Amino acid sequence: MSILIDTVRISGFRGINNLEMNLSPLTVLIGQNNSGKTSFLKAMQLALGDYGYALREEDLHIGAGEVRAKEIIVDFRIIPTEAAGERTKEFADEWAAEFGDKIKAEANGFQFVAIRTVSKPSLVKGGFETARYILENWPDMKHWVSEKAKHRFNTRFESIPFFATDAQRDIHAELREKSSFVGKVLSAVDYNTADVTALEEMIAEVNEAAVGKSEELKGLKDNLDRLNKSFHGAGSAEITPLPKKLRDLSKFFSVHFGDGSTNSFSMEYHGMGTRSWASLLTVRSFSELLAEKHRKETKPFHSILAVEEPEAHLHPSAQKTLYSQLSVKDGQAIVSTHSPYVASAAKIHDLRHIGKRSVDMEARSFNRALSSEHLKSIRRNVLLPKGDILFASAVLLFEGQTEDQVVPAMFERYAGASVHERGVVCACVNGFDYTPFIRVTASLGIATYVLSDNDQDIKKRVDDQVAKLKAEKTFDFTLFHHDFLASGNDFEAELIAHGLRPEIETAMVMATMADADNPSGKFKQAKEKEFAALSKEDLLAKMRGGKTSYSGFLADVIRESPPAKKAKDLVPEKFRAAFDQLIKWVG
């Protein structure tokens, strides 16, 4: 790689009023539904693709006061890079020749090419008019829209093609479409004259053998030969199971997949996961075909592949293998995903979180200053076991495994909706080190509430963690709050103090019954008496010693508790305060 589109800016497009995003060779877009991921890819298509992208009035951003934007502006900057992707000062000779006088330089001498695309409604012709310009400068983000663009050019860079594929791709349908990527590959198939003659002779032999070995086909041929008499000997009939001419092979082209030549099936018999992924691989094939043609003509080449939801229709194990196949050899890829498996496989600095901050969409990424140990901790403790945090509207963090099952049940009973319906992720940190989790959420601007145990010296430790992260001044704590259970309490003690002993005893009995070989009614009664007779300290000891055994049952008891039991009676005050703040954040 010797160039990189490193920055894209968008104004006035759909839900995007003013957005800047930095790109890497493989950029992975994450965020909730309707956060702007698809809009970003469509804006890239407008700027880098053909003018054929059909804009509508609805594509213009509607801002405060229901005022619709008058135009759409998309700027992107191209910089020279070395093989590892780091920026260099000057473009390589081949790209210098390609860009010519479009190359500009910053005050420090570093070269760039900046292109502006402007689309606005045409009052005369109807529809939209789109124009592209060369920018003389790459201003800071605060003033970029007002930067004047004077030098218009009407072509696009043939050496920087843009390939977009959406989540509805299907190779079986695309095999019959000349405009599809697999159709373009088939249209590019070219044999020399000698090869055409040899291959068509082989096809003729196969056709003759196929007819000769079938009594049915021979009978059909004999009857069709009667056409000769009808046309007074001026013709003859041929039966060709395979196309006679090599140029017609693509009309009958098919793709088979399976565990061997004797056990493979046409794509129409495969599920949508296989067909979707096969379709995406044909895009790569077409890109590589163009790259090879450019190499033969000694022309530079840098493709941009935009992929929506590569995980579509694929099971989790298959999703985990996708990331390594998404990169493009001669260019860049921009991938939007809702899969925690794809996102957790990505390089952390390749992740871009798109979300709404106050009134505007904003793209966030991880700070480059994070050490390798911090990055390893984030991957180990957060991305791999809790990757759904990346797609949350808000996150509630707590210490242990009991909370992991019980707190979502409390939220459901209190809010009247599950955490999933409200876009909230509840996550235990398996201890009291909240640091890697906060580094993720504060880096990406995800609203976060920490509700920690308050026994021993944990309060001081957690306060120190938060203070240290805030002192680094590299994270956003605008949507952040941390609090503690009552003094001296862990989660189990908080439940007892709130009067949930009856529910706890019921859950304990249910857990014991589930583990018994043949539990009887008498056995249940005995266990109920046994737990009822325990002192507070002994019950707490049993709770702490069997967190995972009873917590799921306690969650069920809370969810199924009769209506006469009010939510405030089932949810401790500290958790009610946390839920209120989460609900306020998610709206």
Side-chain angles (χ1 to χ4, degrees):
M1 178 180 295
S2 57
I3 66 167
L4 182 76
I5 295 180
D6 77 319
T7 311
V8 178
R9 291 168 173 172
I10 303 168
S11 172
F13 184 62
R14 296 188 178 180
I16 302 174
N17 177 47
N18 190 15
L19 173 74
E20 179 181 71
M21 185 186 298
N22 296 319
L23 302 182
S24 57
L26 173 51
T27 305
V28 179
L29 308 183
I30 56 175
Q32 290 195 305
N33 287 329
N34 300 316
S35 62
K37 300 187 296 297
T38 298
S39 295
F40 180 85
L41 296 180
K42 289 295 185 183
M44 289 286 290
Q45 183 177 355
L46 176 65
L48 284 160
D50 293 319
Y51 287 138
Y53 174 62
L55 290 170
R56 300 176 300 173
E57 186 180 11
E58 291 76 13
D59 288 317
L60 290 168
H61 175 75
I62 299 177
E66 296 297 306
V67 176
R68 194 181 295 275
K70 296 181 179 180
E71 61 184 6
I72 298 166
I73 303 175
V74 184
D75 289 359
F76 65 89
R77 182 176 72 170
I78 306 169
I79 60 170
T81 64
E82 58 185 18
E86 294 297 321
R87 186 177 184 180
T88 57
K89 195 167 187 177
E90 296 180 345
F91 286 99
D93 290 345
E94 58 179 0
W95 285 108
E98 177 75 8
F99 294 142
D101 60 3
K102 300 177 181 67
I103 297 175
K104 310 301 176 183
E106 298 172 357
N108 58 10
F110 279 78
Q111 294 181 339
F112 68 91
V113 172
I115 307 297
R116 168 165 293 181
T117 301
V118 180
S119 293
K120 60 180 66 177
S122 173
L123 300 178
V124 177
K125 300 178 182 178
F128 277 71
E129 288 185 346
T130 298
R132 290 179 178 137
Y133 302 87
I134 302 298
L135 293 176
E136 294 291 328
N137 303 294
W138 188 256
D140 59 51
M141 181 61 182
K142 187 177 181 180
H143 304 101
W144 78 275
V145 172
S146 59
E147 179 72 17
K148 299 299 181 183
K150 300 178 181 179
H151 304 292
R152 181 171 177 172
F153 74 107
N154 297 318
T155 60
R156 67 184 180 92
F157 294 121
E158 295 295 333
S159 293
I160 310 178
F162 182 84
F163 307 125
T165 174
D166 62 32
Q168 306 304 317
R169 55 192 170 267
D170 178 2
I171 192 173
H172 176 61
E174 293 164 4
L175 283 169
R176 302 293 171 258
E177 298 176 5
K178 288 186 177 181
S179 61
S180 70
F181 289 105
V182 67
K184 292 176 181 178
V185 172
L186 295 176
S187 299
V189 173
D190 187 25
Y191 297 101
N192 62 46
T193 303
D195 288 339
V196 170
T197 302
L199 289 169
E200 289 184 348
E201 287 176 356
M202 293 168 63
I203 293 171
E205 292 175 4
V206 173
N207 279 329
E208 185 177 350
V211 174
K213 294 179 180 297
S214 168
E215 293 299 325
E216 293 80 5
L217 291 179
K218 283 195 293 185
L220 177 61
K221 185 179 187 308
D222 290 341
N223 276 285
L224 289 174
D225 277 340
R226 296 181 183 183
L227 284 170
N228 190 39
K229 296 180 180 179
S230 300
F231 290 94
H232 308 292
S236 62
E238 283 186 273
I239 293 180
T240 56
L242 293 177
K244 183 177 179 181
K245 294 295 184 181
L246 196 62
R247 64 175 177 267
D248 295 326
L249 276 179
S250 63
K251 297 178 182 178
F252 301 90
F253 188 86
S254 65
V255 176
H256 287 66
F257 181 75
D259 57 7
S261 59
T262 60
N263 191 26
S264 64
F265 301 94
S266 170
M267 279 295 168
E268 65 182 301
Y269 298 108
H270 282 280
M272 282 305 302
T274 302
R275 288 155 63 166
S276 172
W277 190 237
S279 171
L280 183 53
L281 294 176
T282 65
V283 183
R284 287 191 50 164
S285 178
F286 182 64
S287 174
E288 291 168 0
L289 175 67
L290 287 184
E292 182 59 29
K293 288 184 176 181
H294 278 72
R295 273 192 289 271
K296 288 180 178 179
E297 297 178 6
T298 62
K299 292 182 177 180
F301 185 81
H302 184 89
S303 64
I304 309 296
L305 173 60
V307 183
E308 282 194 81
E309 300 177 32
E311 71 276 6
H313 311 291
L314 293 175
H315 60 81
S317 294
Q319 292 180 34
K320 293 177 182 178
T321 67
L322 291 183
Y323 182 76
S324 62
Q325 298 183 36
L326 288 171
S327 61
V328 179
K329 181 181 178 182
D330 296 287
Q332 291 175 249
I334 308 168
V335 178
S336 72
T337 183
H338 293 117
S339 168
Y341 304 109
V342 174
S344 62
K347 296 177 181 177
I348 289 177
H349 288 306
D350 287 343
L351 295 172
R352 302 291 183 273
H353 185 278
I354 301 182
K356 194 169 187 178
R357 331 285 183 206
S358 64
V359 295
D360 280 348
M361 293 294 180
E362 187 177 330
R364 297 282 185 92
S365 58
F366 286 91
N367 194 293
R368 291 279 174 180
L370 288 173
S371 70
S372 61
E373 288 304 314
H374 291 158
L375 296 177
K376 289 176 183 177
S377 177
I378 288 171
R379 184 173 297 282
R380 182 174 62 250
N381 294 301
V382 185
L383 300 189
L384 294 178
K386 295 286 185 180
D388 52 343
I389 282 177
L390 298 173
F391 304 91
S393 292
V395 175
L396 175 60
L397 300 175
F398 36 72
E399 185 173 318
Q401 296 175 332
T402 310
E403 296 97 303
D404 222 10
Q405 297 198 57
V406 176
V407 172
M410 288 181 171
F411 183 94
E412 186 172 337
R413 188 62 188 266
Y414 183 77
S418 71
V419 290
H420 309 296
E421 291 176 271
R422 302 306 295 266
V424 174
V425 170
C426 296
C428 75
V429 302
N430 290 319
F432 52 82
D433 185 6
Y434 294 91
T435 303
F437 291 84
I438 297 173
R439 281 200 170 101
V440 170
T441 58
S443 292
L444 303 182
I446 301 171
T448 305
Y449 198 112
V450 174
L451 185 54
S452 177
D453 288 0
N454 198 2
D455 54 334
Q456 302 174 24
D457 63 344
I458 290 177
K459 184 178 187 303
K460 182 181 184 306
R461 294 189 182 190
V462 175
D463 280 337
D464 287 346
Q465 291 174 26
V466 174
K468 184 176 180 181
L469 289 172
K470 287 184 175 180
E472 293 179 17
K473 298 182 179 180
T474 56
F475 302 108
D476 183 358
F477 284 91
T478 306
L479 302 176
F480 179 84
H481 185 81
H482 78 290
D483 199 359
F484 300 87
L485 303 181
S487 179
N489 279 0
D490 60 6
F491 182 64
E492 288 75 20
E494 192 84 1
L495 297 182
I496 294 290
H498 190 65
L500 286 172
R501 177 161 183 157
E503 286 76 17
I504 293 167
E505 289 180 9
T506 300
M508 289 283 200
V509 171
M510 292 170 66
T512 305
M513 295 284 286
D515 287 339
D517 293 331
N518 294 297
S520 63
K522 289 184 178 181
F523 178 83
K524 181 181 179 182
Q525 291 175 359
K527 286 299 175 183
E528 287 173 343
K529 289 181 180 180
E530 177 186 331
F531 286 116
L534 291 174
S535 67
K536 173 184 173 182
E537 289 71 22
D538 289 340
L539 181 59
L540 278 171
K542 278 192 172 291
M543 292 171 68
R544 290 163 180 157
K547 294 174 183 284
T548 57
S549 64
Y550 83 91
S551 54
F553 293 102
L554 180 55
D556 291 338
V557 170
I558 291 172
R559 285 191 179 95
E560 298 165 9
S561 183
K565 193 86 172 184
K566 303 297 183 183
K568 68 177 183 178
D569 298 326
L570 294 166
V571 183
E573 180 183 356
K574 290 288 188 177
F575 282 95
R576 296 201 303 271
F579 296 162
D580 286 337
Q581 181 61 69
L582 291 166
I583 292 168
K584 182 179 179 181
W585 278 335
V586 301

